[in-house]
């Protein structure tokens, strides 16, 4: 069997039906095999950086892995940005990298890069050593990607292997499974039952494990407010009476006060990294239960009373059977309502719909009002995203995605493309700033070429405003130091030039109308609204700077 045919068969056998890539001479044998497979869709991006970001969006919003295919060297290295993002977010991807022929390695063959460059970028980096082993190694790579803690796996296949007709080895059986729930769940239950003011902190691992319902049940049993991390946002709906907010630079002082008042915390599915906890300054209680899938996360930043390496869903299920309902000294819903009311009071001036130009805060609330709950939202990195973590309510576990600690700009639009392919029956919307969209603006054309009915909303202030604000406040640079008002961007014109329907909204009310119209259309649409480049940035605003 030709190796390229065997690769396609293993993709199909493992349920991978979508592949993102940019074809090159080295990958054409594999592209040919995919083209002849009527149950696998090959999506051609416009830049390799977007290839891995699109696959990330597919997996983040569906829970199913996608595959990527790139050519050696430049293609592979361009994709590294999205692969690192997926590694930090524990998102399962299969990254197929066409490799230099073994006999040419070390001779500076075209696009050659040493394979071990990628060792620290992905969960695991595999190199196929013989043509006969390719199919078995594809299966192994997919199994590793889906074994908790999940993540992207790169598999390098030398280009001369793809054309070979050999007896490929039969793949081994792989049964990805999470570690068993440890016995010390009893100690965790006792600690939480003894608490008078417990809180629950949920990370992205709750979504990955499909454990949102179990998390809600445990929190409700304890009467505990729920705080989410960047990656956990959405595992609790924004309208849930126990959702306190997101650990972030846009969190209010009242959230920190609630954390400081708590006497016990259950942390599930989070590594409690430096980004989520503001460099471990979040005032978590000393009595802490930490449930994660990576043993190296336990004790990093916070020393737990009970640390357990276990699957989130299995642990929460078991924990629920051991809890007696607690003896909470506070009404979690009442605490949450007070904190959220205080937050809205703090930002009231930023919600003024008559303000010209409007703030991204007011625009985020308008977009939320305009879209149905089932909409899958992909948020790019940038100043508006920091605000969005607390002012833009998520509607469900896989209906809001954003990059975690890698925080790379340019993910919003490519991730929305992946999300639409994974969720063809749902509306999909990308939230972007002008800086982030310019890093992936070429993917507007991918959306048009693939006829994907995504809505791209761009908050355009002609500035890297979150950087300009810090430069002015902390270093005395002039206002808007990193803006470009004299060379203003016109995104509707750019989008229309790529064949996309586009609108410019003048103010908050029109933005709400245009977004509602765009989401209802069965075509890709861009909506631009100009926002205030001098608006407060979330972290400085909440710190009173």
């Amino acid at each position: 069997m030709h190796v390229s045919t065997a690769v396609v068969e293993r993709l199909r056998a493992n349920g991978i039906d979508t592949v993102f890539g940019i074809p090159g001479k080295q990958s054409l044998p594999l592209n040919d095999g995919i083209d002849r497979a009527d149950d696998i869709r090959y999506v051609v991006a416009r830049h390799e950086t977007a290839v891995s970001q699109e696959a990330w969006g597919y997996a983040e919003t569906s829970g199913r892995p996608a595959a990527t295919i790139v050519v050696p060297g430049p293609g592979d290295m361009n994709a590294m940005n999205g692969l690192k993002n997926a590694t930090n977010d524990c998102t399962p991807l299969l990254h197929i990298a066409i490799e230099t022929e073994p006999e040419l390695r070390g001779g500076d063959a075209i696009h050659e890069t040493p394979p071990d460059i990628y060792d620290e970028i992905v969960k695991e980096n595999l190199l196929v050593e013989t043509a006969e082993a390719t199919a078995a190694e594809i299966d192994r790579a997919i199994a590793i990607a889906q074994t908790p803690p999940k993540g992207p796996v790169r598999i390098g296949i030398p280009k001369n292997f793809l054309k070979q007709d050999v007896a490929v080895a039969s793949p081994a059986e792989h049964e990805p499974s999470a570690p068993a729930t440890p016995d010390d769940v009893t100690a965790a239950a006792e600690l939480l039952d003894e608490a008078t003011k417990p809180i629950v902190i949920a990370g992205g691992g709750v979504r990955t494990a499909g454990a949102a319902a179990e998390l809600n049940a445990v929190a409700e049993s304890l009467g505990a407010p729920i705080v989410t991390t960047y990656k956990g946002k959405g595992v609790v709906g924004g309208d849930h009476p126990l959702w306190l907010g997101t650990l972030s630079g846009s969190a209010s002082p009242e959230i920190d006060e609630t954390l400081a008042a708590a006497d016990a915390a259950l942390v599930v599915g989070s590594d409690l990294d430096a980004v989520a906890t503001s460099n471990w300054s979040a005032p978590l209680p000393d009595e802490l239960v930490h449930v994660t899938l990576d043993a190296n996360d336990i004790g990093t930043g916070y020393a737990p009373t009970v640390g357990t390496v276990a699957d989130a869903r299995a642990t929460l299920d078991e924990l629920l059977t051991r809890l007696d309902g607690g003896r909470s000294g506070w009404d979690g819903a009442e605490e949450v309502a007070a904190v959220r009311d205080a937050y809205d009071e703090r930002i009231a001036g930023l919600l003024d719909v008559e303000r010209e130009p409007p703030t991204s805060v007011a625009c985020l609330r308008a977009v939320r009002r305009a879209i149905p709950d089932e909409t899958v939202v992909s948020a790019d990195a940038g100043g508006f995203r920091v605000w969005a973590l607390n002012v833009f309510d998520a509607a469900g576990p896989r209906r809001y995605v954003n990059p975690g600690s890698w925080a790379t700009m340019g993910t919003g639009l490519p991730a929305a493309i992946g999300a639409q392919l994974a969720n063809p029956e749902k509306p999909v919307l990308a939230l972007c700033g002008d800086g982030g969209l310019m890093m992936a603006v070429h993917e507007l054309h991918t959306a048009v070429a693939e006829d994907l009915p995504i809505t791209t909303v761009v908050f355009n202030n002609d500035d890297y405003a979150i950087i300009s604000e810090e430069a002015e406040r902390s270093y005395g640079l002039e206002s808007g130091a990193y803006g470009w008002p004299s060379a203003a961007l016109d995104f509707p014109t750019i989008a229309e030039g790529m064949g996309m329907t586009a609108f410019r909204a003048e103010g908050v009310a029109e933005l709400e109308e245009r977004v509602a119209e765009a989401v209802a259309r069965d075509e890709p649409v861009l909506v631009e609204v100009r926002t205030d480049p001098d608006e407060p940035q979330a972290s400085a605003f909440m710190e009173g700077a």
Side-chain angles (χ1 to χ4, degrees):
M1 178 183 291
H2 279 93
V3 170
S4 59
T5 301
V7 171
V8 174
E9 286 192 358
R10 297 323 302 161
L11 294 178
R12 182 187 291 114
N14 283 280
I16 292 180
D17 59 9
T18 307
V19 178
F20 300 90
I22 295 179
K25 288 184 177 181
Q26 298 91 338
S27 68
L28 282 177
L30 192 50
N31 290 115
D32 177 56
I34 293 172
D35 188 60
R36 288 185 280 105
D38 57 10
D39 54 352
I40 298 180
R41 182 168 183 171
Y42 182 76
V43 180
V44 181
R46 299 300 178 271
H47 196 283
E48 290 95 347
T49 299
V51 166
S52 48
Q53 292 168 347
E54 287 165 1
W56 173 85
Y58 183 103
E60 284 276 289
T61 60
S62 69
R64 306 187 307 274
T68 55
I69 300 174
V70 295
V71 299
D76 210 1
M77 296 193 82
N78 280 329
M80 288 173 74
N81 186 14
L83 293 175
K84 177 59 176 170
N85 186 43
T87 298
N88 284 25
D89 291 350
C90 297
T91 305
L93 311 177
L94 177 68
H95 180 66
I96 300 175
I98 312 304
E99 278 282 356
T100 302
E101 301 96 314
E103 61 272 18
L104 297 181
R105 285 186 195 137
D108 284 337
I110 187 170
H111 297 335
E112 182 184 1
T113 52
D116 60 4
I117 283 176
Y118 307 93
D119 286 351
E120 301 301 319
I121 301 299
V122 292
K123 178 183 179 182
E124 193 151 339
N125 182 24
L126 307 179
L127 180 63
V128 178
E129 300 290 351
T130 67
E132 289 82 355
T134 306
E137 288 292 80
I138 287 285
D139 267 38
R140 184 161 77 99
I142 295 171
I144 293 168
Q146 297 191 88
T147 299
K150 300 179 180 181
V153 175
R154 176 186 182 272
I155 180 166
I157 306 175
K159 67 178 184 180
N160 59 320
F161 287 5
L162 293 173
K163 293 182 180 181
Q164 293 184 27
D165 188 358
V166 298
V168 295
S170 298
E173 291 296 322
H174 295 277
E175 294 293 337
S177 60
T181 304
D183 293 339
D184 60 9
V185 69
T186 300
E190 291 174 353
L191 183 153
L192 293 167
D193 273 332
E194 287 295 315
T196 59
K197 293 184 176 181
I199 59 167
V200 173
I201 299 174
V206 174
R207 180 175 62 246
T208 301
E214 290 78 6
L215 179 97
N216 288 350
V218 167
E220 289 161 9
S221 174
L222 293 168
I226 305 168
V227 180
T228 55
T229 66
Y230 278 56
K231 294 306 301 179
K233 182 174 171 65
V235 300
V236 180
D239 59 353
H240 194 290
L242 290 176
W243 183 60
L244 187 69
T246 305
L247 287 174
S248 69
S250 57
S252 68
E254 287 79 11
I255 289 181
D256 274 354
E257 290 168 8
T258 301
L259 292 173
D263 60 357
L266 169 63
V267 181
V268 185
S270 172
D271 58 3
L272 291 179
D273 64 34
V275 172
T277 62
S278 298
N279 298 330
W280 300 294
S281 66
L284 304 191
D286 291 336
E287 297 293 315
L288 188 144
V289 177
H290 191 183
V291 182
T292 181
L293 281 170
D294 189 338
N296 292 318
D297 295 337
I298 295 177
T300 299
Y302 298 90
T305 310
V306 179
T308 178
V309 179
D311 173 69
R313 186 171 183 176
T315 303
L316 290 167
D317 262 339
E318 181 70 13
L319 189 57
L320 194 58
T321 68
R322 309 281 184 96
L323 292 171
D324 66 10
R327 54 182 189 187
S328 182
W330 59 12
D331 181 324
E334 185 177 297
E335 177 76 15
V336 165
V339 169
R340 298 192 74 176
D341 285 347
Y343 189 90
D344 280 347
E345 286 181 21
R346 285 179 180 276
I347 65 171
L350 304 179
L351 291 170
D352 181 4
V353 297
E354 301 300 324
R355 179 171 172 165
E356 288 295 337
T359 66
S360 59
V361 177
C363 291
L364 284 163
R365 287 281 175 90
V367 173
R368 179 68 267 180
R369 291 191 298 268
I371 60 177
D373 280 349
E374 66 267 23
T375 305
V376 178
V377 177
S378 167
D380 208 331
F384 80 92
R385 192 276 297 256
V386 184
W387 277 118
L389 288 167
N390 282 283
V391 305
F392 188 94
D393 286 348
R398 295 195 183 274
R399 297 183 205 165
Y400 183 96
V401 296
N402 63 172
S405 60
W406 191 235
T408 182
M409 294 177 69
T411 59
L413 174 57
I417 288 172
Q420 185 67 77
L421 288 159
N423 302 272
E425 76 290 351
K426 294 179 181 177
V428 173
L429 181 141
L431 289 172
C432 304
D434 52 335
L437 184 55
M438 282 301 289
M439 295 183 187
V441 71
H442 38 76
E443 296 309 299
L444 293 174
H445 189 253
T446 301
V448 172
E450 296 288 338
D451 194 24
L452 300 175
I454 64 172
T455 298
T456 301
V457 179
V458 53
F459 301 151
N460 184 3
N461 57 21
D462 288 319
D463 197 347
Y464 288 123
I466 194 170
I467 307 303
S468 289
E469 185 272 343
E470 174 73 11
E472 180 183 7
R473 176 167 49 87
S474 299
Y475 298 94
L477 273 68
E478 63 182 25
S479 176
Y482 298 109
W484 46 88
S486 62
L489 288 161
D490 183 341
F491 283 102
T493 296
I494 294 169
E496 288 168 354
M498 296 189 188
M500 179 179 282
T501 298
F503 304 119
R504 178 177 292 108
E506 301 294 343
V508 175
E510 187 177 354
L511 173 65
E512 188 171 341
E513 294 173 5
R514 289 298 195 183
V515 170
E517 178 185 353
V519 170
R521 286 174 173 252
D522 189 28
E523 63 174 323
V525 181
L526 178 138
V527 180
E528 177 194 75
V529 61
R530 292 198 170 272
T531 57
D532 185 0
D534 298 318
E535 72 178 19
Q537 296 301 313
S539 297
F541 183 84
M542 288 298 160
E543 291 171 0

